């Protein structure tokens, strides 16, 4: 990449401040950039190598350069009396910075810059969460990071936000799940006013000793941090208690993070349907699109009285829209091709973060950033834990998990199933069903099928066979024992000329088009061609309808990181 303003002493690209030290073979940060170099070397100074032959290796000599018959040119400014340095090749003018696609993780990458990397590492605060999280970060697996925004006041200008003297409660909480194949991610917001049971949690004190903080029942989620000395490990354990999902790591930031990160990228684009003038948060915005940074950005994500019903759930929607916009800005070419912005962003991000000890190294945070960068923004789904008003309250102030919707959302995340992928698969599934199930169907008595157990509970093949023969009228069926290997999903394999039989059996069993596998027939005990039904781990019992697809849950809130939405 060509630096902007190359050749002008007062306009030096930060990337060019990294130079190769020939003595160590590593890149180092040159805080005071050199003056422009002349393309013509100046005169040599007197010394052992000023004349005569230059030795390059034992037994080999290189003759001195022949002087030109011309007037000697003056040395370049700032170079008088020194040997000319070798000019760096374009290949070594490598950009040493890389940006992540998540709001709190943009870090340095590259071979050189060890000293600067250690400097950034010194910016990051860490917390030992013990067994509440994972002991290391693994690139080849799905991972869950709990992002916590606290209401702790630090820095100038934050007097108007949060509770005075707060130890820092879990004010904003997002459980970020990144799929194993990095094709998608889900950002699940957890309301701070969600009523939960906080389990006992072990914390590490400043002197290194361990202390178990007793749990609490029927309290707000935000009390899982700060109260009674609870640390982020307690919040991680509470997430596991509520959702069944294990957070592997956490990243925590206070009010200053929003201010410094948005300033580092020159602002974040937001949109509001109506003009906003909120005296409590001091947020003033015209209707339509605006760019906010610093204090104004913090006011945007903190305000509760400018949108919707002025509640925390409406504020969560606004925060999700804001994070989506911040992700787009951070992964834009304007940011990723600007060393100046990336330097500011690396400094701001590391100073803003407190993380668990397992990911406290800048190299590990950089690895996380690179893994996140692989996820397309269109496949990052923002949603919220499904909730209902707390039925125990007359004046509604808190919420509880919606038991009709919540478990399915949690199970999809635990099983690494993408909300955007499910929607796409459902469309493909409909097309497959239309193609494979459309057409004539045989009578049940004409269907020939053998049943095999491929992962269902023992005896399932015989139970299903009994159902087919005695209740479904599929008399030409037989038990073929165990399948060669276990399968997750029940399948029906059939030859092209058995499609009418396959459609009939699919209707009886409730098989989806995806479960129907055009292939080859086999010979049954009578020597006739027959289909093969393999019962998988999804088998629900004899006579119970099967459905090989995953249905997308009815989410209370949903958006993706690539969508540009207006707060209302």
């Amino acid at each position: 990449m060509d630096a902007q303003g190359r050749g002008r002493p007062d306009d030096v690209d930060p990337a060019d401040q990294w130079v190769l030290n020939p003595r160590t073979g590593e890149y180092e940060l040159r805080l005071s950039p050199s003056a422009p170099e002349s393309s013509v070397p100046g005169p040599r100074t007197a010394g052992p190598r000023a004349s005569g032959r230059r030795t390059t290796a034992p037994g080999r000599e290189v003759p001195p350069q022949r002087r030109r018959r011309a007037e000697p040119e003056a040395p370049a400014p700032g170079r008088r009396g020194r040997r000319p340095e070798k000019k760096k090749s374009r290949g070594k003018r490598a950009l040493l910075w890389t940006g992540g696609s998540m709001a709190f993780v943009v870090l340095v990458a590259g071979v050189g810059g060890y000293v600067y990397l250690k400097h950034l590492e010194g910016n990051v605060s860490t917390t030992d969460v013990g067994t509440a999280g994972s002991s290391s970060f693994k690139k080849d697996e799905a991972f869950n990071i709990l992002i916590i925004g606290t209401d702790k006041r630090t820095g100038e200008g934050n007097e108007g936000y949060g509770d005075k003297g707060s130890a820092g409660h879990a004010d904003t909480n997002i459980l970020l799940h990144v799929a194993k194949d990095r094709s998608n991610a889900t950002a699940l917001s957890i309301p701070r006013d969600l009523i939960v049971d906080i389990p006992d949690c072990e914390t590490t004190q400043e002197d290194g000793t361990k202390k178990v903080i007793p749990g609490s029942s029927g309290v707000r989620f935000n009390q899982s941090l700060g109260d009674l000395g609870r640390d982020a490990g307690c919040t991680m354990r509470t997430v596991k208690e509520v959702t069944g999902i294990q957070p592997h790591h956490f990243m925590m930031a206070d009010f200053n993070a929003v201010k410094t990160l948005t300033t580092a990228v020159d602002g974040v684009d937001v949109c509001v349907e109506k003009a906003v003038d909120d005296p409590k948060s001091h947020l003033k915005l015209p209707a339509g699109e605006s760019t906010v940074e610093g204090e104004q950005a913090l006011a945007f994500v903190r305000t509760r009285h400018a949108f919707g019903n002025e509640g925390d759930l409406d504020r969560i929607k606004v925060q999700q829209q804001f994070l989506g916009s911040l992700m787009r800005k951070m992964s834009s070419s304007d940011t990723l091709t600007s060393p100046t912005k990336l330097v500011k962003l690396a400094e701001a991000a590391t100073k803003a973060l407190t993380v668990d000890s397992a990911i406290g190294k800048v190299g590990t945070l950089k690895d996380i950033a690179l893994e996140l960068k692989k996820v397309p923004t269109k496949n990052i789904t923002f949603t919220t834990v499904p909730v209902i008003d707390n039925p125990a309250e007359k004046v509604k102030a808190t919420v509880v998990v919606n038991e009709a919707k919540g478990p399915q959302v949690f199970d999809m995340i635990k099983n690494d199933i993408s909300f955007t992928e499910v929607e796409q698969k459902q469309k493909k599934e409909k097309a497959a069903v239309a193609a494979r199930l459309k057409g004539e169907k045989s009578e049940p008595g004409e269907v020939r099928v053998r049943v095999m157990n491929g992962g269902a509970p023992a005896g399932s093949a015989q139970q299903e066979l009994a159902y087919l023969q005695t209740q479904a009228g599929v008399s030409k069926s037989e038990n073929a024992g165990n399948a060669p290997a276990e399968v997750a999903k029940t399948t029906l394999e059939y030859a092209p000329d058995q499609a009418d039989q396959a459609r009939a059996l699919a209707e009886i069993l409730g098989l989806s088009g995806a479960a129907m596998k055009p292939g080859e027939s086999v010979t049954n005990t009578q020597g006739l061609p027959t289909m093969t039904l393999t019962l998988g781990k999804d088998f629900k019992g004899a006579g119970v309808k099967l459905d090989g697809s995953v249905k997308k849950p009815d989410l209370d809130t949903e958006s993706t990181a690539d969508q540009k939405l207006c707060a209302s």
Side-chain angles (χ1 to χ4, degrees), residues 237-283:
R237 294 179 191 275
T238 304
V239 171
K240 176 69 180 296
E241 182 80 12
V242 175
T243 66
I245 303 168
Q246 174 64 64
H248 300 119
H249 306 286
F250 85 88
M251 295 180 179
M252 182 167 62
D254 56 27
F255 291 149
N256 273 344
V258 174
K259 295 165 67 173
T260 57
L261 287 172
T262 54
T263 300
V265 296
D266 294 338
V268 173
D269 297 331
V270 298
C271 181
V272 294
E273 288 188 359
K274 299 178 181 179
V276 175
D277 186 357
D278 180 14
K280 293 187 177 181
S281 67
H282 309 294
L283 178 65

Short mmCIF file of all heavy atoms in Angstrom, two decimals, residues 237-283:
data_model
loop_
_atom_site.label_atom_id
_atom_site.label_comp_id
_atom_site.label_asym_id
_atom_site.label_seq_id
_atom_site.Cartn_x
_atom_site.Cartn_y
_atom_site.Cartn_z
N ARG A 237 -21.16 -17.39 34.85
CA ARG A 237 -21.86 -18.53 35.47
C ARG A 237 -23.37 -18.32 35.45
O ARG A 237 -24.15 -19.26 35.30
CB ARG A 237 -21.37 -18.73 36.90
CG ARG A 237 -19.91 -19.15 37.02
CD ARG A 237 -19.50 -19.30 38.48
NE ARG A 237 -18.07 -19.44 38.64
CZ ARG A 237 -17.40 -20.58 38.54
NH1 ARG A 237 -18.07 -21.70 38.28
NH2 ARG A 237 -16.09 -20.62 38.70
N THR A 238 -23.80 -17.05 35.61
CA THR A 238 -25.23 -16.76 35.58
C THR A 238 -25.80 -17.00 34.18
O THR A 238 -26.92 -17.50 34.03
CB THR A 238 -25.47 -15.31 36.02
OG1 THR A 238 -24.89 -15.10 37.32
CG2 THR A 238 -26.96 -14.99 36.09
N VAL A 239 -25.04 -16.62 33.14
CA VAL A 239 -25.48 -16.89 31.78
C VAL A 239 -25.67 -18.39 31.57
O VAL A 239 -26.67 -18.84 30.98
CB VAL A 239 -24.46 -16.33 30.76
CG1 VAL A 239 -24.79 -16.81 29.34
CG2 VAL A 239 -24.45 -14.81 30.80
N LYS A 240 -24.72 -19.18 32.06
CA LYS A 240 -24.83 -20.65 31.93
C LYS A 240 -26.06 -21.16 32.68
O LYS A 240 -26.78 -22.05 32.20
CB LYS A 240 -23.56 -21.29 32.50
CG LYS A 240 -23.57 -22.82 32.52
CD LYS A 240 -23.50 -23.41 31.13
CE LYS A 240 -23.51 -24.94 31.16
NZ LYS A 240 -22.32 -25.48 31.83
N GLU A 241 -26.33 -20.59 33.84
CA GLU A 241 -27.49 -20.99 34.64
C GLU A 241 -28.80 -20.70 33.92
O GLU A 241 -29.74 -21.50 33.93
CB GLU A 241 -27.46 -20.26 35.99
CG GLU A 241 -28.58 -20.60 36.94
CD GLU A 241 -28.35 -21.90 37.68
OE1 GLU A 241 -27.22 -22.45 37.65
OE2 GLU A 241 -29.32 -22.40 38.31
N VAL A 242 -28.88 -19.54 33.27
CA VAL A 242 -30.12 -19.11 32.63
C VAL A 242 -30.35 -19.77 31.28
O VAL A 242 -31.47 -20.21 30.97
CB VAL A 242 -30.12 -17.57 32.46
CG1 VAL A 242 -31.36 -17.11 31.69
CG2 VAL A 242 -30.05 -16.89 33.80
N THR A 243 -29.32 -19.87 30.48
CA THR A 243 -29.48 -20.31 29.08
C THR A 243 -28.98 -21.74 28.82
O THR A 243 -29.35 -22.32 27.81
CB THR A 243 -28.72 -19.36 28.13
OG1 THR A 243 -27.30 -19.49 28.39
CG2 THR A 243 -29.13 -17.92 28.36
N GLY A 244 -28.13 -22.25 29.68
CA GLY A 244 -27.50 -23.54 29.40
C GLY A 244 -26.32 -23.41 28.46
O GLY A 244 -25.68 -24.41 28.11
N ILE A 245 -26.00 -22.19 28.02
CA ILE A 245 -24.89 -21.94 27.09
C ILE A 245 -23.64 -21.57 27.89
O ILE A 245 -23.70 -20.68 28.75
CB ILE A 245 -25.24 -20.81 26.10
CG1 ILE A 245 -26.52 -21.15 25.34
CG2 ILE A 245 -24.09 -20.57 25.13
CD1 ILE A 245 -27.09 -19.97 24.56
N GLN A 246 -22.53 -22.20 27.59
CA GLN A 246 -21.28 -21.94 28.30
C GLN A 246 -20.50 -20.81 27.65
O GLN A 246 -19.99 -20.97 26.54
CB GLN A 246 -20.41 -23.20 28.33
CG GLN A 246 -19.03 -23.00 28.92
CD GLN A 246 -19.06 -22.62 30.38
OE1 GLN A 246 -19.51 -23.39 31.22
NE2 GLN A 246 -18.59 -21.42 30.71
N PRO A 247 -20.39 -19.65 28.30
CA PRO A 247 -19.49 -18.62 27.76
C PRO A 247 -18.04 -19.08 27.94
O PRO A 247 -17.66 -19.55 29.01
CB PRO A 247 -19.79 -17.39 28.62
CG PRO A 247 -21.08 -17.68 29.32
CD PRO A 247 -21.11 -19.16 29.48
N HIS A 248 -17.25 -18.95 26.88
CA HIS A 248 -15.85 -19.36 26.97
C HIS A 248 -14.95 -18.23 27.46
O HIS A 248 -13.97 -18.47 28.16
CB HIS A 248 -15.37 -19.84 25.59
CG HIS A 248 -16.15 -21.01 25.07
ND1 HIS A 248 -16.87 -20.96 23.91
CD2 HIS A 248 -16.34 -22.25 25.58
CE1 HIS A 248 -17.47 -22.12 23.70
NE2 HIS A 248 -17.17 -22.91 24.71
N HIS A 249 -15.30 -17.00 27.09
CA HIS A 249 -14.48 -15.86 27.46
C HIS A 249 -15.40 -14.66 27.67
O HIS A 249 -16.58 -14.69 27.32
CB HIS A 249 -13.45 -15.54 26.37
CG HIS A 249 -12.60 -16.72 26.00
ND1 HIS A 249 -11.60 -17.19 26.80
CD2 HIS A 249 -12.63 -17.54 24.91
CE1 HIS A 249 -11.04 -18.25 26.24
NE2 HIS A 249 -11.64 -18.46 25.10
N PHE A 250 -14.83 -13.59 28.24
CA PHE A 250 -15.62 -12.36 28.36
C PHE A 250 -14.77 -11.16 27.96
O PHE A 250 -13.54 -11.20 28.02
CB PHE A 250 -16.15 -12.18 29.79
CG PHE A 250 -15.16 -11.52 30.73
CD1 PHE A 250 -15.10 -10.14 30.85
CD2 PHE A 250 -14.30 -12.28 31.51
CE1 PHE A 250 -14.18 -9.53 31.71
CE2 PHE A 250 -13.39 -11.68 32.37
CZ PHE A 250 -13.32 -10.30 32.47
N MET A 251 -15.44 -10.10 27.54
CA MET A 251 -14.83 -8.81 27.27
C MET A 251 -15.72 -7.76 27.92
O MET A 251 -16.92 -7.74 27.67
CB MET A 251 -14.70 -8.55 25.77
CG MET A 251 -13.77 -9.50 25.07
SD MET A 251 -13.66 -9.13 23.30
CE MET A 251 -12.50 -10.39 22.78
N MET A 252 -15.12 -6.92 28.73
CA MET A 252 -15.91 -5.94 29.48
C MET A 252 -15.36 -4.54 29.23
O MET A 252 -14.15 -4.34 29.15
CB MET A 252 -15.86 -6.27 30.97
CG MET A 252 -16.68 -5.36 31.85
SD MET A 252 -16.88 -6.04 33.53
CE MET A 252 -15.17 -6.10 34.08
N ALA A 253 -16.27 -3.60 29.09
CA ALA A 253 -15.88 -2.21 28.87
C ALA A 253 -16.85 -1.30 29.60
O ALA A 253 -18.01 -1.66 29.84
CB ALA A 253 -15.87 -1.90 27.38
N ASP A 254 -16.39 -0.09 29.95
CA ASP A 254 -17.27 0.87 30.60
C ASP A 254 -17.65 1.97 29.61
O ASP A 254 -17.47 1.84 28.40
CB ASP A 254 -16.61 1.44 31.86
CG ASP A 254 -15.25 2.06 31.57
OD1 ASP A 254 -15.04 2.50 30.43
OD2 ASP A 254 -14.40 2.11 32.48
N PHE A 255 -18.17 3.08 30.14
CA PHE A 255 -18.67 4.15 29.28
C PHE A 255 -17.62 4.68 28.30
O PHE A 255 -17.93 5.06 27.18
CB PHE A 255 -19.18 5.31 30.13
CG PHE A 255 -20.43 5.01 30.91
CD1 PHE A 255 -20.66 5.63 32.12
CD2 PHE A 255 -21.36 4.12 30.43
CE1 PHE A 255 -21.81 5.36 32.84
CE2 PHE A 255 -22.51 3.83 31.15
CZ PHE A 255 -22.74 4.46 32.36
N ASN A 256 -16.37 4.74 28.77
CA ASN A 256 -15.33 5.33 27.92
C ASN A 256 -15.13 4.58 26.62
O ASN A 256 -14.67 5.14 25.63
CB ASN A 256 -14.01 5.39 28.68
CG ASN A 256 -13.88 6.66 29.50
OD1 ASN A 256 -14.62 7.61 29.29
ND2 ASN A 256 -12.97 6.66 30.45
N ALA A 257 -15.43 3.26 26.59
CA ALA A 257 -15.20 2.45 25.40
C ALA A 257 -15.96 3.00 24.20
O ALA A 257 -15.42 3.12 23.10
CB ALA A 257 -15.59 1.01 25.66
N VAL A 258 -17.25 3.30 24.39
CA VAL A 258 -18.07 3.82 23.29
C VAL A 258 -17.49 5.14 22.80
O VAL A 258 -17.39 5.38 21.59
CB VAL A 258 -19.53 4.01 23.74
CG1 VAL A 258 -20.35 4.68 22.64
CG2 VAL A 258 -20.15 2.66 24.10
N LYS A 259 -17.08 5.98 23.72
CA LYS A 259 -16.56 7.30 23.35
C LYS A 259 -15.25 7.19 22.57
O LYS A 259 -15.07 7.81 21.52
CB LYS A 259 -16.37 8.15 24.61
CG LYS A 259 -17.68 8.46 25.31
CD LYS A 259 -17.48 8.98 26.73
CE LYS A 259 -16.83 10.32 26.77
NZ LYS A 259 -16.79 10.88 28.15
N THR A 260 -14.32 6.38 23.08
CA THR A 260 -13.01 6.30 22.43
C THR A 260 -13.05 5.53 21.12
O THR A 260 -12.38 5.90 20.15
CB THR A 260 -11.99 5.67 23.38
OG1 THR A 260 -12.45 4.37 23.79
CG2 THR A 260 -11.78 6.52 24.61
N LEU A 261 -13.82 4.46 21.06
CA LEU A 261 -13.87 3.66 19.84
C LEU A 261 -14.53 4.42 18.69
O LEU A 261 -14.07 4.38 17.55
CB LEU A 261 -14.59 2.34 20.08
CG LEU A 261 -13.83 1.30 20.90
CD1 LEU A 261 -14.73 0.12 21.23
CD2 LEU A 261 -12.61 0.81 20.16
N THR A 262 -15.62 5.11 19.00
CA THR A 262 -16.30 5.86 17.93
C THR A 262 -15.45 7.04 17.46
O THR A 262 -15.47 7.37 16.27
CB THR A 262 -17.67 6.37 18.40
OG1 THR A 262 -17.51 7.11 19.62
CG2 THR A 262 -18.62 5.22 18.65
N THR A 263 -14.71 7.63 18.36
CA THR A 263 -13.81 8.72 17.95
C THR A 263 -12.68 8.20 17.08
O THR A 263 -12.27 8.85 16.12
CB THR A 263 -13.24 9.42 19.20
OG1 THR A 263 -14.32 9.96 19.97
CG2 THR A 263 -12.29 10.55 18.80
N ALA A 264 -12.19 7.00 17.41
CA ALA A 264 -11.08 6.42 16.65
C ALA A 264 -11.44 6.16 15.19
O ALA A 264 -10.59 6.21 14.31
CB ALA A 264 -10.62 5.13 17.31
N VAL A 265 -12.73 5.87 14.91
CA VAL A 265 -13.14 5.60 13.53
C VAL A 265 -13.84 6.80 12.90
O VAL A 265 -14.52 6.67 11.88
CB VAL A 265 -14.06 4.35 13.46
CG1 VAL A 265 -13.32 3.11 13.88
CG2 VAL A 265 -15.33 4.52 14.30
N ASP A 266 -13.70 7.97 13.53
CA ASP A 266 -14.31 9.21 13.00
C ASP A 266 -15.82 9.15 12.96
O ASP A 266 -16.46 9.68 12.05
CB ASP A 266 -13.76 9.54 11.61
CG ASP A 266 -12.28 9.89 11.64
OD1 ASP A 266 -11.79 10.27 12.72
OD2 ASP A 266 -11.62 9.77 10.59
N GLY A 267 -16.41 8.47 13.94
CA GLY A 267 -17.86 8.49 14.08
C GLY A 267 -18.58 7.29 13.48
O GLY A 267 -18.04 6.59 12.64
N VAL A 268 -19.80 7.07 13.96
CA VAL A 268 -20.65 5.96 13.53
C VAL A 268 -21.96 6.52 13.01
O VAL A 268 -22.55 7.43 13.62
CB VAL A 268 -20.90 4.98 14.70
CG1 VAL A 268 -21.91 3.92 14.31
CG2 VAL A 268 -19.60 4.34 15.15
N ASP A 269 -22.43 5.99 11.90
CA ASP A 269 -23.68 6.46 11.29
C ASP A 269 -24.88 5.85 12.01
O ASP A 269 -24.94 4.64 12.20
CB ASP A 269 -23.72 6.09 9.81
CG ASP A 269 -22.61 6.75 9.01
OD1 ASP A 269 -22.18 7.85 9.41
OD2 ASP A 269 -22.16 6.17 8.00
N VAL A 270 -25.83 6.69 12.39
CA VAL A 270 -27.07 6.24 13.02
C VAL A 270 -28.25 6.91 12.33
O VAL A 270 -28.07 7.85 11.56
CB VAL A 270 -27.09 6.57 14.54
CG1 VAL A 270 -25.95 5.85 15.26
CG2 VAL A 270 -27.00 8.08 14.77
N CYS A 271 -29.43 6.40 12.62
CA CYS A 271 -30.63 6.95 11.99
C CYS A 271 -31.78 6.93 13.00
O CYS A 271 -31.94 5.94 13.73
CB CYS A 271 -30.99 6.13 10.74
SG CYS A 271 -32.46 6.73 9.87
N VAL A 272 -32.54 7.99 13.04
CA VAL A 272 -33.73 8.06 13.90
C VAL A 272 -34.91 8.50 13.06
O VAL A 272 -34.77 9.33 12.16
CB VAL A 272 -33.52 9.03 15.08
CG1 VAL A 272 -32.46 8.50 16.04
CG2 VAL A 272 -33.14 10.43 14.62
N GLU A 273 -36.07 7.94 13.33
CA GLU A 273 -37.26 8.28 12.56
C GLU A 273 -37.75 9.69 12.87
O GLU A 273 -38.24 10.40 11.99
CB GLU A 273 -38.37 7.26 12.84
CG GLU A 273 -38.12 5.89 12.23
CD GLU A 273 -39.31 4.96 12.35
OE1 GLU A 273 -40.33 5.40 12.94
OE2 GLU A 273 -39.23 3.82 11.88
N LYS A 274 -37.63 10.08 14.15
CA LYS A 274 -38.08 11.42 14.56
C LYS A 274 -36.93 12.14 15.24
O LYS A 274 -36.03 11.52 15.80
CB LYS A 274 -39.26 11.30 15.52
CG LYS A 274 -40.49 10.61 14.93
CD LYS A 274 -41.60 10.50 15.96
CE LYS A 274 -42.82 9.79 15.38
NZ LYS A 274 -43.90 9.64 16.39
N ALA A 275 -36.97 13.46 15.20
CA ALA A 275 -35.94 14.26 15.87
C ALA A 275 -35.93 13.94 17.36
O ALA A 275 -36.97 13.70 17.97
CB ALA A 275 -36.20 15.75 15.64
N VAL A 276 -34.74 13.94 17.95
CA VAL A 276 -34.57 13.58 19.36
C VAL A 276 -34.01 14.77 20.12
O VAL A 276 -33.04 15.41 19.70
CB VAL A 276 -33.61 12.37 19.52
CG1 VAL A 276 -33.34 12.08 20.99
CG2 VAL A 276 -34.18 11.14 18.82
N ASP A 277 -34.63 15.07 21.26
CA ASP A 277 -34.12 16.09 22.17
C ASP A 277 -34.40 15.59 23.59
O ASP A 277 -35.44 15.87 24.18
CB ASP A 277 -34.79 17.44 21.92
CG ASP A 277 -34.17 18.56 22.76
OD1 ASP A 277 -33.26 18.26 23.56
OD2 ASP A 277 -34.61 19.72 22.62
N ASP A 278 -33.47 14.80 24.12
CA ASP A 278 -33.66 14.16 25.42
C ASP A 278 -32.82 14.89 26.48
O ASP A 278 -31.60 14.76 26.50
CB ASP A 278 -33.23 12.68 25.33
CG ASP A 278 -33.40 11.96 26.65
OD1 ASP A 278 -34.08 12.50 27.55
OD2 ASP A 278 -32.86 10.84 26.79
N PRO A 279 -33.46 15.65 27.36
CA PRO A 279 -32.70 16.41 28.36
C PRO A 279 -31.97 15.52 29.37
O PRO A 279 -30.98 15.94 29.96
CB PRO A 279 -33.77 17.26 29.05
CG PRO A 279 -35.06 16.53 28.80
CD PRO A 279 -34.91 15.88 27.47
N LYS A 280 -32.42 14.28 29.55
CA LYS A 280 -31.78 13.41 30.54
C LYS A 280 -30.45 12.86 30.04
O LYS A 280 -29.50 12.74 30.80
CB LYS A 280 -32.73 12.28 30.92
CG LYS A 280 -33.96 12.76 31.68
CD LYS A 280 -34.80 11.60 32.20
CE LYS A 280 -35.98 12.11 33.02
NZ LYS A 280 -36.80 11.00 33.57
N SER A 281 -30.40 12.50 28.77
CA SER A 281 -29.14 11.99 28.21
C SER A 281 -28.39 13.07 27.44
O SER A 281 -27.25 12.84 27.02
CB SER A 281 -29.42 10.81 27.27
OG SER A 281 -30.13 11.24 26.12
N HIS A 282 -29.05 14.21 27.24
CA HIS A 282 -28.47 15.33 26.47
C HIS A 282 -28.26 14.94 25.00
O HIS A 282 -27.38 15.50 24.33
CB HIS A 282 -27.14 15.79 27.07
CG HIS A 282 -27.22 16.08 28.54
ND1 HIS A 282 -27.97 17.12 29.05
CD2 HIS A 282 -26.65 15.45 29.61
CE1 HIS A 282 -27.86 17.13 30.37
NE2 HIS A 282 -27.08 16.13 30.74
N LEU A 283 -29.07 14.02 24.50
CA LEU A 283 -28.98 13.61 23.10
C LEU A 283 -29.88 14.49 22.25
O LEU A 283 -31.08 14.59 22.49
CB LEU A 283 -29.37 12.14 22.94
CG LEU A 283 -29.36 11.61 21.50
CD1 LEU A 283 -27.95 11.61 20.94
CD2 LEU A 283 -29.97 10.21 21.43
#
